[in-house]
Amino acid sequence: MNTTISKEDIYAILEQVSDPEVPVLSIIDLGVIRDVVLHEDTLEVVITPTYTGCPAMDMIEVNIKAILQENGFDNIKVTTILSPAWTTDWLSEAGKQKLLDYGIAPPQGSSKSKRALFSEETGIACPQCRSTHTEMISQFGSTACKSQYKCLDCKEPFDYFKCH
Amino acid sequence: MQDHLYNFLLYLGDNALILGHRLSEWCGHGPVLEQDMALTNIALDLVGQSRNIFQLAAKMQGEGATEDTLAYLRDATAYKNILLVEQKNGDFAKTILRQFFYDAFNYPCYQRLMQSSNKDIAAFAEKSMKEITYHLKWSSEWVIRLGDGTEESLRRINEALEDLWPYTGEMFKYADFEIAMTESGVFPDAAGIEAEWEQEVKNIFAQAGLELPEKAWMHDGGKHGRHSEHLGYILAEMQFLQRAYPGQKW
């Protein structure tokens, strides 16, 4: 293995892997990369799932291996850890902006706030017209990480990346 | 002790897998699109949870076991899930009530598992807890809506209650492997779960205008591999591919 490679170089390569279900987000934006370990003959990437049943995780693992192989790494190990559990607090600010530009309302508030987790989140800004005059249609959306909202001003339905 | 831990893991995984499979049968059949998606989202969470648990169990067993061999190559008598989760979906009211009874039980269980002396179990419990919280909120809201809805929705949820109530006692009839896990701190304070479950059910039923049934005779046996005929049909569908084409991959 090339010993001049640094962790930062690996992170830069991994920045090119996108979330298969929200393709505007890189896996770095998403916060699923927990660590990169350069062993003597192996490169280990430690990831954590967003949701337990997230079907994108298997694909993310395949894509991580593929991009690292393209960049000359042969021995790659992807390890999954569950604790500490992923939270939307780990979404990068750049990631939140990308979500908004893409038409998905980014999570508002912290997952540590009980209010955000247990009750209906209100005042979510519509990604189209920015009105906060919106309402939840369903707690469950097109993927496990999102719920469905509707803007009461511009009438557009939209996905909200829920606090988790 | 290792056998008890292994059986306990299978029990947790089987509950999640079988209920997840049942909910997945709703895919494309939900009463409205949003609820079709809710049911399948929850199915996905539960199947995902069972995968994490089976991965641990497979590691313990060794001998080439994987999450897939545990799901696809065990017969009904080796499954340890409670009978409640294998009950047929019935109508939407029955599915909702089955889900609520399970979620109200699962929530206090996983709260305790987060404090488990077994670090791997504590980790998947912490991960699953956020999802279970959503599930309980969703099924509670629907119980209230159906109970406090129309004459027809009330009739249906009462019918579901009559069908499902005799399956609720098994949750709290602890098997030897659960008792062993409680004693060793893997599953701390299991004794307190029943009271918390009852409190939650009473609270939601009061809002739904439903009456809590009398104490009745309760079915059991699932934890020991004695299942209703329904499980055989579930496995026949779920395991068909691996039984007909062993080792087949996507």
Side-chain angles (χ1 to χ4, degrees):
Chain A
M1 179 163 292
N2 188 341
T3 48
T4 60
I5 291 284
S6 70
K7 271 192 182 192
E8 286 68 31
D9 297 328
I10 307 295
Y11 274 96
I13 296 169
L14 294 176
E15 179 67 47
Q16 299 166 54
V17 179
S18 60
D19 176 351
E21 287 186 348
V22 190
V24 287
L25 290 183
S26 75
I27 54 174
I28 306 284
D29 294 327
L30 201 58
V32 300
I33 303 291
R34 300 313 297 156
D35 202 3
V36 168
V37 191
L38 297 147
H39 298 288
E40 203 158 295
D41 56 351
T42 318
L43 172 58
E44 184 181 7
V45 180
V46 183
I47 61 174
T48 194
T50 50
Y51 278 69
T52 306
C54 182
M57 289 314 293
D58 290 340
M59 194 149 173
I60 287 175
E61 186 175 332
V62 169
N63 291 347
I64 287 174
K65 286 184 179 159
I67 195 105
L68 289 171
Q69 267 162 6
E70 279 171 30
N71 283 275
F73 296 91
D74 295 325
N75 291 321
I76 304 147
K77 190 172 141 198
V78 177
T79 316
T80 301
I81 55 161
L82 296 176
S83 181
W86 180 84
T87 151
T88 39
D89 298 346
W90 296 350
L91 270 175
S92 69
E93 286 307 314
K96 287 180 186 167
Q97 187 58 45
K98 286 184 202 170
L99 277 176
L100 189 62
D101 296 341
Y102 189 59
I104 298 173
Q108 292 181 13
S110 160
S111 71
K112 289 181 189 71
S113 138
K114 283 249 176 198
R115 191 178 154 66
L117 270 181
F118 285 86
S119 60
E120 187 173 323
E121 295 172 66
T122 54
I124 304 300
C126 166
Q128 304 299 332
C129 74
R130 303 292 193 266
S131 163
T132 53
H133 188 212
T134 57
E135 70 174 12
M136 187 170 84
I137 306 172
S138 173
Q139 203 188 124
F140 295 91
S142 56
T143 61
C145 50
K146 288 174 275 175
S147 43
Q148 298 172 73
Y149 275 72
K150 177 170 79 177
C151 177
L152 299 171
D153 284 332
C154 77
K155 313 292 185 201
E156 281 287 328
F158 63 92
D159 271 338
Y160 169 57
F161 207 110
K162 59 194 172 197
C163 280
H164 188 67
Chain B
M1 184 50 76
Q2 287 299 298
D3 276 358
H4 284 317
L5 177 60
Y6 179 69
N7 286 334
F8 182 64
L9 287 170
L10 289 183
Y11 162 68
L12 294 175
D14 290 346
N15 278 343
L17 179 66
I18 298 302
L19 186 57
H21 187 84
R22 271 295 188 219
L23 292 178
S24 76
E25 293 171 3
W26 273 100
C27 186
H29 300 278
V32 289
L33 182 63
E34 287 79 9
Q35 299 315 319
D36 194 294
M37 284 162 66
L39 288 159
T40 43
N41 264 241
I42 296 170
L44 201 59
D45 286 342
L46 290 171
V47 173
Q49 288 167 16
S50 73
R51 288 187 61 188
N52 283 336
I53 300 165
F54 285 160
Q55 282 165 13
L56 275 184
K59 214 193 288 174
M60 269 192 80
Q61 198 199 22
E63 297 165 23
T66 66
E67 53 180 294
D68 286 340
T69 63
L70 291 177
Y72 295 131
L73 302 179
R74 274 184 306 142
D75 212 344
T77 50
Y79 268 78
K80 300 189 182 304
N81 60 277
I82 48 176
L83 301 175
L84 176 74
V85 297
E86 69 197 43
Q87 296 308 303
K88 284 183 151 185
N89 285 339
D91 58 11
F92 186 63
K94 188 169 174 185
T95 291
I96 288 296
L97 192 64
R98 183 187 62 198
Q99 191 65 34
F100 171 65
F101 282 154
Y102 180 75
D103 293 338
F105 163 68
N106 216 20
Y107 187 89
C109 281
Y110 272 69
Q111 265 183 333
R112 284 160 173 79
L113 292 176
M114 282 171 68
Q115 314 300 326
S116 177
S117 58
N118 180 309
K119 282 201 179 73
D120 292 328
I121 291 181
F124 79 65
E126 180 197 349
K127 180 76 211 154
S128 309
M129 197 57 198
K130 293 184 185 192
E131 295 148 11
I132 293 168
T133 306
Y134 284 123
H135 303 169
L136 177 60
K137 181 170 186 283
W138 177 83
S139 58
S140 304
E141 283 172 1
W142 271 105
V143 168
I144 295 169
R145 200 154 155 187
L146 294 174
D148 192 28
T150 64
E151 238 175 75
E152 177 66 4
S153 69
L154 178 63
R155 182 186 70 77
R156 287 187 182 225
I157 198 148
N158 267 321
E159 239 172 54
L161 181 56
E162 205 172 306
D163 284 350
L164 293 174
W165 186 253
Y167 293 99
T168 55
E170 187 185 11
M171 298 189 277
F172 314 108
K173 198 166 174 188
Y174 294 117
D176 50 355
F177 54 82
E178 289 172 288
I179 294 166
M181 290 303 101
T182 297
E183 284 167 358
S184 64
V186 172
F187 184 32
D189 184 32
I193 294 173
E194 183 169 12
E196 282 182 41
W197 180 85
E198 261 183 28
Q199 192 49 49
E200 181 72 16
V201 172
K202 270 186 197 159
N203 171 28
I204 297 300
F205 272 29
Q207 295 178 60
L210 295 173
E211 272 178 49
L212 209 63
E214 302 273 305
K215 289 266 176 216
W217 179 82
M218 295 284 176
H219 294 279
D220 68 27
K223 293 176 185 181
H224 305 284
R226 296 191 304 275
H227 291 276
S228 63
E229 73 275 25
H230 305 309
L231 185 64
Y233 287 96
I234 295 174
L235 296 185
E237 187 183 333
M238 191 174 83
Q239 298 183 337
F240 166 78
L241 197 108
Q242 285 304 322
R243 299 290 193 185
Y245 305 96
Q248 193 62 253
K249 285 196 164 71
W250 281 103

